[in-house]
Amino acid sequence: MSQRWDELLKRDHEVTEQVFAAIEAKLAAAEGPAPALVGLLVDYMHYVDHCHNQKEELHLFPRLEAKGMPRHGGPLGVMLQEHERAREILARLVPLATAYAAGNRGNLAELRSAFGEYASLCKDHFWKENDILYPMALRMLGDTEAAEVVAGIEAVEASLGAGTRERYYRIAAEIVGQAELRDLSYGLERDVLAAILNTLPVELSFIDHEDRVRYFSHEHGEKIFGRTRGAIGTAVQNCHPPKSLHLVSQILADFKAGRRDVAEFWIETGGRMVHIRYWPVRGDDGRYLGTLETVQDVTSIRALTGEQRLLSAA
Ligand SMILES: [Fe+2]
Ligand SMILES: [Fe+2]
C-alpha cells in the first residue's frame, strides 16, 4: 500500500533528526567532525531546503490555504516564517560547512554555533508539524486532496532526479554510520533496542539529569497516558499539573541526593489499575543520569489466581 503524505513527510523529519543527532555528537567532540562527514552534511541539507520544504510549500500548504487556513498568521504563517528563517541560517551555515569540508577546520566554533541554531530551529519546527499542523491538515483534506499531496511530493522528488529520496536517505545513513554513535553491548542495533522497548508491557519515559524529557516508548501505539513528540526536550516541570509539581520536585531531589531508589503510585482509571513508578537511573560510576518512569496496566496481573503452565490458545 502506498504511503500517506503525512507518513512521507514525517519520515523525512525522522531521517533528518537522525542526521542532526549524528552531527551534534561529532561536533561536541573536541577535535570536531571529519571534514568528509561535514561534506555529506552539506549534501544532505540541500534535501531539507530544496526538497522537503518544497513538498510542503508547493503541495501541502496551498491546499490548506484553499481550505481556509490563512497564509498569514496562524500555523501556516508560522511554518512559512520558520522555513524562511531556516534559509537565512543555511545561507551562513552552508559556506561555513563547505569551507570546513574543504579543510578549513579553524571555523569549528562558528560551525558549531550555526549548526546548533539550524538544528534546534528545525527540530522545533518538525514537532510543530508532526503534532499540530499535520493532524489539522489530515482533518481538513479529503481523500482526493490527500492523494494530490502524495503526487506533489513525488513530483518534487522527481524534479531533482530519479531516486532522489533514496539517494538522500543513503547519504543520511552514511552520516549516521560515520558518526559511529556508540554501539550497545553485543552489537544490538538501536532500531532493535527501540523495538524491544516498544514491546515491553510497560510504558517508559525518561528525563535526563537536567529534568528534560528525552524519551518515551510506544510512540505509535495506544498509551495509558498520551504523550506527543513535542514533549521531547521540554522541562518535566512543564508536563505536570501545578498541583503535583511539588511531588515531582521532591522525587527528583531525593533521587539526585541518593535518598530514594523508587517512588511508587497506583491509581484507578477507566476501570483499570495503573501502577506508576519512578526510578533513578545511575551510570556504572553511580552518577545520576536521569529518571525513568514506568507505567503499567496491572489489572490482569492483579486478577491472576492459580497457575497457568500450559500454552493457551493463540
Ligand atoms: Fe516545514
Ligand atoms: Fe516538514
Side-chain angles (χ1 to χ4, degrees), residues 243-269:
K243 69 174 180 351
S244 66
L245 260 190
H246 71 283
L247 207 57
V248 174
S249 304
Q250 178 70 55
I251 294 168
L252 294 178
D254 285 353
F255 285 171
K256 288 173 186 172
R259 285 192 296 263
R260 183 188 283 277
D261 292 321
V262 65
E264 186 172 20
F265 305 88
W266 51 96
I267 58 172
E268 283 180 315
T269 174

Side-chain angles (χ1 to χ4, degrees), residues 189-233:
E189 288 168 19
R190 282 179 305 152
D191 287 358
V192 177
L193 177 68
I196 290 171
L197 297 180
N198 288 331
T199 307
L200 287 175
V202 180
E203 294 169 17
L204 310 173
S205 308
F206 177 70
I207 60 165
D208 66 14
H209 67 288
E210 290 175 321
D211 304 346
R212 296 199 171 272
V213 180
R214 286 289 165 215
Y215 167 78
F216 59 86
S217 67
H218 299 77
E219 180 178 358
H220 302 297
E222 203 173 298
K223 291 189 285 295
I224 297 171
F225 297 135
R227 303 242 190 286
T228 63
R229 192 176 267 225
I232 301 291

Side-chain angles (χ1 to χ4, degrees), residues 57-126:
E57 290 183 20
L58 298 177
H59 299 285
L60 176 63
F61 295 174
R63 286 185 171 78
L64 298 179
E65 213 182 330
K67 283 277 177 177
M69 192 185 277
R71 186 171 183 83
H72 301 288
L76 210 48
V78 175
M79 294 304 107
L80 285 164
Q81 267 171 21
E82 289 179 351
H83 283 192
E84 201 43 50
R85 177 77 195 117
R87 255 169 226 136
E88 286 166 20
I89 303 173
L90 276 181
R92 201 155 41 88
L93 174 56
V94 170
L96 279 169
T98 306
Y100 186 96
N104 173 15
R105 300 179 76 149
N107 68 11
L108 179 58
E110 283 171 280
L111 180 65
R112 275 192 186 118
S113 148
F115 180 79
E117 208 181 323
Y118 180 68
S120 104
L121 175 85
C122 288
K123 283 190 274 188
D124 188 57
H125 179 81
F126 293 164

Side-chain angles (χ1 to χ4, degrees), residues 9 12-13 52-53 56 61 83 125-126 129-130 134:
L9 294 177
D12 277 354
H13 291 168
H52 176 80
N53 288 359
E56 294 174 341
F61 295 174
H83 283 192
H125 179 81
F126 293 164
E129 290 183 334
N130 288 357
Y134 295 173

